[in-house]
Structures are given as structure tokens and as C-alpha cells.
Amino acid sequence: MKYESIIAQITTQQIIAMFDLLSDLIFWIKDDTGRVIHCNQEFVRHVGRKSIGQVLGHSDLDFSPTYLARNFMMDDQRVMAGEIITERLELNIGRSGELAWFTTSKRPLKNAQGEIIGTYGVARNLKKTVKTLSGMEKIKKPVEYIKNNYVRNITIEELAEVASLSVSALERRFKKYLKKTPMQFLREIRLENSRRMLVETQMPVSEIAYSSGFASHSYFSRHFKAMFGFLPANYRAEVQLES
């Protein structure tokens, strides 16, 4: 058929180049050592470089503060082991140098034999996503409210009131635009902040749990491991070992 003939003529390079059409999407491909082997122009701009040539062959340590780079590299190792990461919230550096929230997805990169030879992924700035997607205005306020008050005991009813929506309507909009419920979003915000504190501070794990908004140390540890693959204390030890 005609469409099959057209598909057969499309090269991998052409497909990769299509990512440059998405100005709000950061896209990259890394080898098994964590070095960038391809990316789109938005990635180049995101890391403050002028050309793709200034990016290729470099790792996260060349673009981000050490604690963030170590987090990204540990995630890559988990993906290299076969894990997938989908629409996860994480802290990153915005284009102007400030810390910003991104939704990130990562997958293992495989060769023709099915062997994992690297990773690839995409990320979107959450603030830009909220501003640009039609219909997101109704969850802009609860998103900002969560980011500014995650340490508090926030209820779903409180978030619904902030958004001027019913609880069910709020949950539907979060699922539609962020692929998660409001309480899942809140938990991920707390977990990512706790991960930052584990690396940046020497605070006891229990204190970090409470400072991140978790009322229970065991609940915190269980969800931290589910999200990052390590218990909090083990994660801190692993990052220090890599430093």
C-alpha cells in the first residue's frame, strides 16, 4: 500500500528531527554512560548552550548542579535496568536558572537485538504546560497552591475550593491534563522535595519526612521507594557514594 511505502522511506533522523517542531518539549537520547548522543533544539536552549555540538558527548554533570545531576543519573540507571518513568514530577533548572517543576518520562533505548544500550526521554516545564494547554486554567490555582503549601495537611476539599470546582470535577481535570489525581500530584511534589533535602542537607530522614509534609515516616519511606527505587537512607548513601 502507498502509506507503507512512504513509512519505509522515513529515516530515523527524520523522525528525531520532528521533535524540533515542539517548542515546549525537551527531548534527549543518552548512551549507556549517560552522555547525550542526540537532543532537540529545546534541550540545547534549556541547558544554556548555543548549538547541539556543545551538548553532544556531555552528561548531566555538565549542565546541572551536582545534586540534580546525581538524581538524573540514578534515574537513568534504573531505566537502563528496564524500568520506565511516565509523567513524573521532578525539579530541574529553568531556562533563567531558577528551580522549576517538570513532568518527565524516560524509557530504555534498545538496539535491533533488543539489548538496552542507553535511555531516551522527554520533559515539559509544568508552568508552561499550565499556561499553554486549553482548559488548564481551572487547575492552575490548585497546582500553585500545592507547590506553595505542600508541607501542610492539604485536603482534596480544600483544593476543590481553591479551584472553585467540585471534588469530582477537579479530579477529572487533573487526570486529563496531568495524568494523575490531585493527591498523587501533592505526594509527588512532597517526594521530590524530600529527595532534594536528602542530598542537600544532613537532616535526619524522619525530620525530612515531616518537613516534606508526611505525617508518617513509614508511609514516606514506602512511597519514596516506590517512586525512586530506594529507601530514603539508602538513596542518600548511594548519592554520596557517587559523589
Side-chain angles (χ1 to χ4, degrees):
M1 297 183 66
K2 184 178 179 180
Y3 75 86
E4 292 175 331
S5 175
I6 294 173
I7 291 295
Q9 296 178 56
I10 299 176
T11 65
T12 302
Q13 191 63 36
Q14 286 177 302
I15 294 173
I16 291 174
M18 294 176 188
F19 283 92
D20 282 326
L21 301 176
L22 303 170
S23 60
D24 66 330
L25 185 78
I26 300 167
F27 167 72
W28 65 89
I29 304 174
K30 298 176 185 175
D31 65 16
D32 59 358
T33 69
R35 299 190 179 279
V36 178
I37 57 176
H38 197 83
C39 65
N40 66 349
Q41 288 301 311
E42 187 64 18
F43 184 98
V44 174
R45 289 188 285 269
H46 174 71
V47 297
R49 302 302 191 269
K50 295 182 178 180
S51 69
I52 192 170
Q54 295 177 335
V55 173
L56 300 185
H58 293 278
S59 73
D60 290 308
L61 286 169
D62 299 307
F63 306 128
S64 303
T66 301
Y67 79 90
L68 284 178
R70 294 296 182 194
N71 288 342
F72 301 152
M73 293 165 73
M74 288 176 69
D75 282 347
D76 288 343
Q77 289 301 311
R78 292 174 63 196
V79 174
M80 286 279 294
E83 186 172 333
I84 62 173
I85 293 173
T86 302
E87 294 287 328
R88 195 181 75 194
L89 284 168
E90 64 181 19
L91 283 169
N92 203 326
I93 300 296
R95 212 186 278 182
S96 59
E98 81 289 358
L99 280 175
W101 289 99
F102 286 74
T103 56
T104 301
S105 299
K106 298 179 181 181
R107 297 289 187 274
L109 180 68
K110 300 179 181 180
N111 61 17
Q113 290 72 46
E115 301 165 330
I116 296 176
I117 57 173
T119 63
Y120 65 96
V122 294
R124 290 179 187 269
N125 186 307
L126 181 62
K127 190 172 184 178
K128 289 177 67 176
T129 300
V130 169
K131 282 184 176 180
T132 59
L133 289 184
S134 175
M136 285 284 279
E137 189 63 31
K138 279 290 186 181
I139 66 169
K140 180 179 178 180
K141 287 184 179 179
V143 163
E144 289 300 315
Y145 189 82
I146 288 172
K147 287 161 60 179
N148 294 330
N149 298 279
Y150 66 89
V151 175
R152 291 182 45 246
N153 180 28
I154 301 174
T155 66
I156 186 65
E157 291 78 14
E158 187 177 348
L159 292 174
E161 185 176 347
V162 168
S164 300
L165 292 169
S166 67
V167 169
S168 59
L170 179 68
E171 290 183 328
R172 284 196 300 272
R173 296 202 183 193
F174 264 77
K175 291 288 284 186
K176 180 177 180 179
Y177 295 111
L178 296 179
K179 307 296 189 295
K180 58 189 91 244
T181 68
M183 302 317 282
Q184 286 172 331
F185 179 86
L186 171 60
R187 187 169 63 237
E188 289 191 16
I189 289 281
R190 287 171 169 168
L191 287 169
E192 182 62 27
N193 273 289
S194 71
R195 179 162 77 155
R196 174 181 57 81
M197 286 190 282
L198 283 167
V199 179
E200 286 187 318
T201 76
Q202 295 302 313
M203 290 169 59
V205 172
S206 58
E207 190 175 337
I208 287 176
Y210 299 131
S211 297
S212 301
F214 291 96
S216 164
H217 185 184
S218 60
Y219 179 85
F220 163 62
S221 295
R222 182 168 72 254
H223 282 283
F224 190 96
K225 185 174 183 181
M227 187 164 172
F228 300 120
F230 295 87
L231 289 170
N234 294 342
Y235 183 87
R236 171 179 272 169
E238 191 73 17
V239 171
Q240 290 174 345
L241 187 66
E242 294 285 334
S243 300

